[in-house]
Amino acid sequence: MGIKRGTTLAAVAVVVALTATACGGDDGKAADAVKPAGAAAQAPSDPYAQEPASNAGAGADAAAKAGGQLAVAADNDKLGSFLTDGGGLTLYRFDKDTAKPSKSNCDGDCAKTWPAVAAGDVTAAAGMDPALLGEVVRSDGSKQLTVAGWPAYRFNKDAKAGDTNGQGVGGVWFAFAPDGKKAGRPAAGDSADGGAAASDEAALSVAKDPKLGDHIVDGKGMTVYRFKPDTAWPMVSKCTGDCLAKWPVVPPVDKANAKGIIEKNYLVLDRPDGKKQQTVNCWPVYTFTGDKKPGDVNGQGVGGTWYAVAPDGKLITGQ
């Protein structure tokens, strides 16, 4: 290999526009409620790695290009330190890949949106451990740069040096920190084998209630809810101000830390108030301060607008 070992109840709506590919497959008018103890799961889809390749930026021209002299970008409020290639374009890693052994699972349309960084003429950034650099053979036989075992990519919507538009896309794409871990995610951290190691809060799973049946809970076992006035397309949260004091948002959760959830359109909502909110099937989700212990469902039916969430993201209304 030619790698050089060098030195985000109120009337104001919170709206975030997503691509039609991510949430547009469901116009929000389809049936969206299930009866307790009988939620039917639908087959999951996987839009996370296949955003449209149109409107591509500089990254679209970076396919098959080596990284050159890597660099560590200046700290910023969102990411801290992160890796760039020799042209200043941000380098990303994909949660569906593996580091031990190194393997890329981004091919076809995914690779058009996330061009692989070719292995070859690559030099470690100053202050970076050169031993972190490696390579992996892709399904097409080409060689791809790896950082700490994780295959490296660019994002075709990063138009200029320093852009980080790929950060957090689909909850599975993240900029590289200089040590090969995920940039901007210190709370979740990374395990010794390179995978995400979430805290109790950074997890979602499915619990069973005698009346509600299967419903989503957070890492502490607290019931997760949806607000009926919200919409999935466009992704809109109408819970702001005092509402959020009673119904805190569920923070972003890696898909790897979501057990039993139907992972269709499992995206992150960037709210204008600066909070980032997890969505399930594009629906914003919350917990309730009136629930005091795991298993409580005191928020169910509150105001005729708040309901627990089925594993596929639908409301459990009992209607």
Side-chain angles (χ1 to χ4, degrees), residues 7 39 47 62 77 113 130 141-142 150 153 169 190 198 201 205 208-209 229 234 274 288 293 303:
T7 54
D77 292 338
T113 303
S142 64
W150 291 95
Y153 307 82
V169 168
D190 282 272
E201 293 82 359
S205 61
K208 186 178 290 291
D209 180 84
F288 181 43
K293 64 183 185 302

Side-chain angles (χ1 to χ4, degrees), residues 93-99 101 103-106 144 150-153 173:
R93 48 176 276 181
F94 184 31
D95 278 357
K96 287 193 173 182
D97 289 346
T98 59
K103 187 179 187 302
S104 169
N105 290 305
C106 179
Q144 181 175 3
W150 291 95
Y153 307 82
W173 289 95

Side-chain angles (χ1 to χ4, degrees), residues 56-80:
D61 298 325
K65 290 185 180 179
Q69 173 64 62
L70 303 188
V72 177
D75 291 355
N76 61 40
D77 292 338
K78 294 173 64 176
L79 295 183

Side-chain angles (χ1 to χ4, degrees), residues 31-247:
D32 184 51
V34 295
K35 295 181 179 181
Q42 60 188 50
S45 61
D46 184 19
Y48 313 105
Q50 300 183 16
E51 292 199 353
S54 58
N55 301 318
D61 298 325
K65 290 185 180 179
Q69 173 64 62
L70 303 188
V72 177
D75 291 355
N76 61 40
D77 292 338
K78 294 173 64 176
L79 295 183
S81 298
F82 60 97
L83 281 180
T84 71
D85 66 10
L89 290 175
T90 303
L91 301 185
Y92 299 91
R93 48 176 276 181
F94 184 31
D95 278 357
K96 287 193 173 182
D97 289 346
T98 59
K100 294 183 180 181
S102 296
K103 187 179 187 302
S104 169
N105 290 305
C106 179
D107 296 296
D109 289 341
C110 174
K112 295 177 183 178
T113 303
W114 303 90
V117 179
D121 188 12
V122 182
T123 303
M128 175 186 179
D129 183 357
L132 292 174
L133 301 183
E135 64 181 34
V136 63
V137 178
R138 295 175 54 80
S139 60
D140 62 3
S142 64
K143 294 182 178 180
Q144 181 175 3
L145 173 70
T146 62
V147 182
W150 291 95
Y153 307 82
R154 300 177 178 91
F155 184 40
N156 73 354
K157 292 184 181 179
D158 282 349
K160 64 183 184 300
D163 281 353
T164 56
N165 299 311
Q167 175 70 2
V169 168
V172 293
W173 289 95
F174 300 95
F176 271 110
D179 59 1
K181 295 181 181 180
K182 302 175 188 178
R185 295 179 62 82
D190 282 272
S191 64
D193 64 359
S199 64
D200 287 342
E201 293 82 359
L204 289 179
S205 61
V206 175
K208 186 178 290 291
D209 180 84
K211 294 182 179 180
L212 298 182
D214 290 346
H215 63 288
I216 299 176
V217 296
D218 69 7
K220 294 182 176 180
M222 306 304 289
T223 302
V224 169
Y225 300 90
R226 272 184 42 196
F227 188 34
K228 286 190 74 173
D230 289 352
T231 62
W233 181 249
M235 270 198 336
V236 176
S237 166
K238 294 185 178 179
C239 181
T240 62
D242 291 342
C243 174
L244 287 179
K246 292 183 178 180
W247 303 91

